[in-house]
Amino acid sequence: EVQLVESGGGLVQPGGSLRLSCAASGITFSSSWMSWVRQVPGKGPVWVSRISPDGSRTNYADSVKGRFTISRDNAKNTLYLQMNSLRAEDTAVYYCIRGGWSLDIWGQGTMVTVSS
Amino acid sequence: DIVMTQTPLSLSVTPGQPASISCKSSESLLHSDGKTYLNWYLQKPGQPPQLLIYELSNRFSGAPDRFSGSGSGTDFTLKVSRVEAEDAGIYYCMQSVQVPLTFGGGTKVEIK
């Protein structure tokens, strides 16, 4: 069964850090582009970042560039999103997704709340 | 950034009737590789978006054949030939021809 399971979300103060993880199973993770998309409840999805299969190529939305870092461990079939200098506007559900162009398989998401 | 504009904002459809959603992009989504990078998603309440159509007109695995995508350049359409109750939710178009990938504002479909 194809499965992407995010973890690491929670409540963090402005300026703080969080690292999201995404455990993949049922897909050929090491040959897949992977992406992160976030969505404020009740609003539309917003693309955050993507990474190539070998991790050598990454892209970021301007709103997170310099603060977030996408990475992966192909030996562990795990995708990461390191989020630093968090702001209230980063509050959202964060989805891990297979694909860099056709985002085809989505996890259930993990909620990140940035608030004092 | 490419702006994606969807119409209508909402739609109320009787089961068995067709439905159509429009999506317009501020730039062409035709890539030099010949593919058009336009996807359609359906998000049901409490669930992540699910891919229906990728690269303009290709139905993703598991997407019912009543869904079809068409268009070219900057104008695109998602059609549902005969709406069923399970088709309720919010539909999004998304472009992936260039970074940042961007989504349309969504079309909420209600089943009468």
Side-chain angles (χ1 to χ4, degrees), chain A residues 101-102, chain B residues 35-39 53-58:
Chain A
W101 283 262
S102 295
Chain B
K35 296 178 184 177
T36 297
Y37 287 91
L38 186 281
N39 300 337
I53 302 288
Y54 66 96
E55 292 170 10
L56 181 64
S57 59
N58 299 288

Side-chain angles (χ1 to χ4, degrees), chain A residues 66-99:
Chain A
R67 300 187 300 123
F68 289 12
T69 302
I70 190 171
S71 63
R72 64 193 297 158
D73 185 335
N74 286 345
K76 295 182 178 179
N77 284 355
T78 303
L79 176 72
Y80 303 100
L81 186 67
Q82 177 67 43
M83 305 187 295
N84 298 331
S85 304
L86 282 162
R87 307 167 179 165
E89 54 265 35
D90 295 318
T91 295
V93 175
Y94 284 73
Y95 294 105
C96 164
I97 305 156
R98 182 182 74 173

Side-chain angles (χ1 to χ4, degrees), chain A residues 24-80:
Chain A
S25 58
I27 66 170
T28 311
F29 182 78
S30 60
S31 61
S32 299
W33 278 79
M34 298 294 294
S35 299
W36 289 97
V37 165
R38 66 186 182 186
Q39 186 173 28
V40 174
K43 303 289 187 183
V46 176
W47 176 80
V48 172
S49 182
R50 71 182 179 189
I51 187 167
S52 61
D54 65 358
S56 64
R57 288 166 286 168
T58 59
N59 299 112
Y60 296 92
D62 283 349
S63 59
V64 307
K65 205 173 290 184
R67 300 187 300 123
F68 289 12
T69 302
I70 190 171
S71 63
R72 64 193 297 158
D73 185 335
N74 286 345
K76 295 182 178 179
N77 284 355
T78 303
L79 176 72
Y80 303 100

Side-chain angles (χ1 to χ4, degrees), chain A residues 14-25:
Chain A
S17 298
L18 272 181
R19 187 175 84 153
L20 305 184
S21 299
C22 170
S25 58

